[in-house]
Amino acid sequence: MSVKKTHPKNHSQQKSSVKKKSKGLNWLFISLGLTAVSLTSAAAGAFIAISLSATPLKQSALTPEQEEVFSQDEAISYKSLRLPELSRPVNVLVLGTKVLTSELDEKPTEDLGYHALVNSFKGLSDTMVLVRFDPLSNKLSLLSIPRDTQTTINYELRKINEANYYGGPSLAAETVSELLGGVPVDRYVRVNVQGVEKVIDALGGVNVYVPKDMKYTDHSQHLYIDLKEGEQHLDGSQAVSFLRFRYDRYGDIGRVQRQQMFMRALVEQALKPQTLLRMPEILSIISSYIDTNLTVEELVALSGFASQTKRSNVQLLMLPGRFSGDGKHEVSYWLPNSYQIKNMVAEYFDHGQPSFQVEPTQPTNLKIAIQDSTDDPEAVRRMVNYLREAGYRRIFVSDEWPQTLETTRIVAQNGDDLGAATLRADLGLGEVLVESTGNLASDITIVLGQDWQNYFPEPSVPFQETRSLTTQN
């Protein structure tokens, strides 16, 4: 069955911006509804109306100079016989903003309190992720950039989360591009933290493993975090608490790791066909909390691509770097590692060449952390001995993983998927995940699952030969 293509009447004569936005949203809901139906029924599809070129979720006006930062003159999607599809790899900068009344020049008419959250996009970016949708490799790569990353903004040394405050999405995009050696940023999405709460509630909550008890109270910000360790079904408010918690020894870096855990769980739950069917309803709820220069056609193309991406092709990276300062007596920064960034950008964003000043790492030279999820010291001993027999020497035992896993995880902490794949081949089992949720001091983290307990025989090397190994956190 075909759908007749229609054109909006007297479009040039519509002078009311309110009517334009309403009409754009109506087309958005219709279009995404068609997308969801196509994904679930594999029907013949439909031609998308010409109004798909609208940007109904755009909240802020950019100057011509600011718009030039984004390659909007280069198409990122095309209309096939069914639905819009990506025509090339696309880099989208996602900014999560948390704005308080105390940070606003113009105070809201309603008395919300001095440090209350407000729906605004003009503050510091609490979260910054560059997402690459690559139809050539069928991979979805998410690079988390810690908010404390040291960079230069307006010729001054600052934290990268200040870029949005001083210059909005265009300055944030310019700053990120410069940090990554010129990686182009094609589009942006800004989401207020209140919108995250709304969308999680609209999805019916999200299942996440909370790795530790989280408790923190700040009356001035109306922030009350109280989450218990274990598998939890989080509603919107609890999910925001999980994402905002940063009050542990790793500060913002620990929070980035938890955000990656949350993003993987959310992607796996939200991009199901039954969820996509409800996309129009969800977008109607959160539309006022999103600012983006993506058109509806582009949103449909990106959503369709993401929904078909395999779990193993979702790569969660973190900007390579190290801590500076203790955050108590001086400004604490995350100092970028330019050599590692160059290598990561070349591999995952297809930009530039790897740094020749960094020698290729032999798999056996990888620094490997072992985390046990099975509460089985014998399984740890067998893994240590097996790795030593296989030629690996830089091994240490880290904290136990609190969640019992059925399948062993081989986590490429710094994005070394080749090294992780080699290690997986040597082990003969496990799941390779490119994400930054492993031990920060490692290249690869092996999280032992129950499959290892039942898989490998006793090693021939006595455990006492490995007692020199140190345990690191």
Side-chain angles (χ1 to χ4, degrees):
M1 177 179 179
S2 63
V3 177
K4 184 178 181 181
K5 186 173 181 180
T6 61
H7 296 263
K9 298 180 180 180
N10 301 322
H11 180 73
S12 61
Q13 299 176 6
Q14 294 179 349
K15 299 181 180 180
S16 169
S17 61
V18 175
K19 290 182 180 179
K20 285 183 179 179
K21 182 174 181 180
S22 175
K23 189 165 185 177
L25 281 173
N26 287 338
W27 275 114
L28 170 64
F29 303 152
I30 292 172
S31 303
L32 289 180
L34 289 172
T35 302
V37 170
S38 175
L39 288 171
T40 55
S41 66
F47 289 107
I48 304 302
I50 194 170
S51 60
L52 284 177
S53 61
T55 53
L57 297 179
K58 190 170 183 179
Q59 307 284 349
S60 59
L62 301 181
T63 66
E65 292 75 16
Q66 292 173 328
E67 289 181 345
E68 287 180 0
V69 173
F70 307 97
S71 56
Q72 288 195 278
D73 58 333
E74 299 179 27
I76 67 173
S77 64
Y78 66 92
K79 300 173 188 176
S80 68
L81 293 177
R82 298 181 61 186
L83 295 163
E85 298 180 12
L86 288 183
S87 59
R88 64 178 177 87
V90 181
N91 300 328
V92 179
L93 180 62
V94 179
L95 303 172
T97 61
K98 180 200 69 178
V99 183
L100 307 177
T101 51
S102 57
E103 300 169 342
L104 297 176
D105 295 329
E106 296 182 8
K107 304 304 178 187
T109 55
E110 183 182 357
D111 185 12
L112 303 174
Y114 185 66
H115 281 311
L117 287 171
V118 292
N119 183 25
S120 174
F121 307 103
K122 297 182 179 180
L124 304 175
S125 54
D126 211 43
T127 301
M128 183 175 287
V129 182
L130 186 63
V131 186
R132 182 174 180 81
F133 301 79
D134 192 343
L136 303 180
S137 64
N138 291 318
K139 291 184 178 181
L140 182 64
S141 302
L142 296 86
L143 174 61
S144 295
I145 303 173
R147 53 176 285 171
D148 294 338
T149 299
Q150 186 183 80
T151 190
T152 301
I153 300 174
N154 294 337
Y155 306 103
E156 293 186 20
L157 201 63
R158 297 185 181 276
K159 294 184 177 182
I160 199 166
N161 69 330
E162 298 179 67
N164 183 67
Y165 177 81
Y166 286 107
S170 59
L171 182 58
E174 283 185 300
T175 305
V176 168
S177 178
E178 183 177 348
L179 175 69
L180 301 180
V183 171
V185 179
D186 300 294
R187 303 289 188 271
Y188 77 87
V189 177
R190 292 195 294 181
V191 183
N192 184 273
V193 67
Q194 293 174 309
V196 176
E197 179 176 340
K198 298 290 185 182
V199 73
I200 297 302
D201 283 336
L203 289 170
V206 60
N207 295 323
V208 176
Y209 191 89
V210 180
K212 58 183 291 184
D213 288 348
M214 298 180 182
K215 193 172 183 65
Y216 181 80
T217 299
D218 187 336
H219 296 292
S220 64
Q221 295 192 47
H222 303 281
L223 179 59
Y224 309 101
I225 300 175
D226 188 6
L227 300 174
K228 299 298 182 183
E229 178 184 328
E231 187 74 31
Q232 304 283 354
H233 183 76
L234 305 181
D235 62 20
S237 176
Q238 293 170 323
V240 170
S241 294
F242 180 83
L243 293 171
R244 291 183 64 185
F245 186 82
R246 55 179 293 183
Y247 309 98
D248 57 17
R249 60 184 172 181
Y250 293 131
D252 189 52
I253 303 305
R255 189 180 66 153
V256 168
Q257 291 183 310
R258 288 187 293 274
Q259 287 176 349
Q260 291 194 352
M261 294 169 56
F262 183 87
M263 284 189 286
R264 186 175 290 278
L266 185 62
V267 166
E268 292 176 357
Q269 294 175 54
L271 293 178
K272 296 178 180 178
Q274 59 267 34
T275 303
L276 291 175
L277 278 170
R278 299 182 56 240
M279 195 60 67
E281 172 194 348
I282 294 170
L283 283 173
S284 68
I285 294 173
I286 67 170
S287 60
S288 62
Y289 300 95
I290 294 179
D291 169 39
T292 179
N293 60 350
L294 284 163
T295 67
V296 179
E297 178 182 312
E298 293 168 349
L299 280 168
V300 172
L302 293 174
S303 299
F305 174 81
S307 68
Q308 299 174 51
T309 303
K310 297 179 181 179
R311 169 185 168 91
S312 58
N313 285 341
V314 177
Q315 304 165 322
L316 305 177
L317 311 165
M318 183 170 65
L319 186 79
R322 62 180 178 84
F323 290 109
S324 169
D326 56 13
K328 298 178 181 179
H329 305 293
E330 58 184 86
V331 177
S332 179
Y333 289 105
W334 181 251
L335 301 179
N337 185 313
S338 59
Y339 295 143
Q340 292 181 4
I341 290 174
K342 190 172 184 179
N343 292 333
M344 181 176 287
V345 163
E347 180 174 359
Y348 292 97
F349 288 85
D350 193 27
H351 181 81
Q353 299 295 325
S355 174
F356 293 106
Q357 299 186 40
V358 179
E359 292 296 327
T361 302
Q362 294 297 323
T364 52
N365 290 333
L366 292 171
K367 192 172 185 181
I368 301 173
I370 299 175
Q371 292 182 305
D372 180 29
S373 81
T374 65
D375 194 26
D376 183 357
E378 181 60 26
V380 177
R381 286 194 287 267
R382 289 194 290 110
M383 176 59 75
V384 169
N385 285 324
Y386 176 78
L387 291 175
R388 288 177 63 85
E389 286 187 322
Y392 295 91
R393 291 291 179 266
R394 304 177 66 198
I395 311 166
F396 65 91
V397 179
S398 183
D399 295 339
E400 292 186 356
W401 186 257
Q403 178 187 18
T404 301
L405 302 178
E406 293 183 4
T407 304
T408 295
R409 293 178 181 173
I410 304 170
V411 181
Q413 173 66 26
N414 297 315
D416 186 357
D417 56 345
L418 179 60
T422 301
L423 183 55
R424 196 265 175 224
D426 286 342
L427 291 177
L429 87 172
E431 174 188 23
V432 172
L433 295 177
V434 178
E435 58 184 43
S436 300
T437 59
N439 186 288
L440 293 175
S442 73
D443 297 313
I444 305 290
T445 298
I446 301 176
V447 187
L448 299 184
Q450 293 174 331
D451 56 344
W452 173 254
Q453 286 181 295
N454 306 317
Y455 171 74
F456 206 77
E458 287 291 327
S460 59
V461 179
F463 179 65
Q464 53 264 32
E465 291 188 18
T466 68
R467 290 197 178 189
S468 60
L469 294 172
T470 58
T471 299
Q472 298 187 18
N473 294 325

